[in-house]
Amino acid sequence: MDARYAFRVRIRIEPAHEDVSIEPSSAETTVTLFREAPEPGTEGWLFFRNTLWRGEVGDEDYARQLAAAWLGVPERTVHAVEFRELQTDQEYFDALKAEIAADLEPFKADTVSEVISKYLGSSVRVTDTDG
């Protein structure tokens, strides 16, 4: 099984001290950050439920804190985080749906499809691992 979350992260570098300057006065870049998705049912597997809403980051400040921690940079350098997609193989996606189906109540939904739509929107890309 293989799956990862993809985020677009905008980072701005600026001097942290008054006596330091750079040319230009700030530098900005956008990177794609990938975070491995924990196996369904294991610790951290509910990341999508706790962080996303309809395929978007639910709490921008929290997402910036997470991205800064994952990248090992000061929070002030992360200016924006945008969820792009869950990239997954069919085996992982099937396991994810089975784990959700086992207990729909915490998701406040009636079906697995409703859960996927509620938290991931249409931002799921299932790849064919058969080649």
Side-chain angles (χ1 to χ4, degrees), residues 44-58:
W45 82 277
L46 290 171
F47 173 80
F48 72 95
R49 185 194 72 182
N50 300 333
T51 311
L52 306 172
W53 183 251
R54 306 246 186 255
E56 302 289 334
V57 168

Side-chain angles (χ1 to χ4, degrees), residues 35-75:
R35 180 188 186 274
E36 294 300 314
E39 188 172 321
T42 66
E43 184 177 343
W45 82 277
L46 290 171
F47 173 80
F48 72 95
R49 185 194 72 182
N50 300 333
T51 311
L52 306 172
W53 183 251
R54 306 246 186 255
E56 302 289 334
V57 168
D59 180 340
E60 181 73 22
D61 289 338
Y62 179 61
R64 285 196 304 268
Q65 291 170 6
L66 287 175
W70 295 337
L71 294 169
V73 299
E75 283 181 36

Side-chain angles (χ1 to χ4, degrees), residues 4-118:
R4 65 185 184 172
Y5 295 98
F7 295 87
R8 185 170 305 251
V9 179
R10 187 166 37 105
I11 301 168
R12 182 177 299 144
I13 301 168
E14 298 172 325
H17 302 280
E18 291 178 12
D19 58 343
V20 173
S21 62
I22 60 174
E23 286 291 328
S25 60
S26 69
E28 188 171 292
T29 190
T30 301
V31 299
T32 301
L33 179 148
F34 298 100
R35 180 188 186 274
E36 294 300 314
E39 188 172 321
T42 66
E43 184 177 343
W45 82 277
L46 290 171
F47 173 80
F48 72 95
R49 185 194 72 182
N50 300 333
T51 311
L52 306 172
W53 183 251
R54 306 246 186 255
E56 302 289 334
V57 168
D59 180 340
E60 181 73 22
D61 289 338
Y62 179 61
R64 285 196 304 268
Q65 291 170 6
L66 287 175
W70 295 337
L71 294 169
V73 299
E75 283 181 36
R76 66 181 175 76
T77 64
V78 178
H79 282 259
V81 177
E82 176 185 338
F83 175 66
R84 304 302 291 165
E85 63 187 2
L86 171 63
Q87 300 173 352
T88 179
D89 61 21
Q90 191 64 54
E91 182 183 5
Y92 181 95
F93 196 47
D94 290 344
L96 178 67
K97 291 187 292 186
E99 195 66 36
I100 292 168
D103 189 8
L104 283 168
E105 188 175 328
F107 297 100
K108 297 182 171 80
D110 296 323
T111 66
V112 172
S113 295
E114 183 182 350
V115 172
I116 299 295
S117 177
K118 183 186 270 190

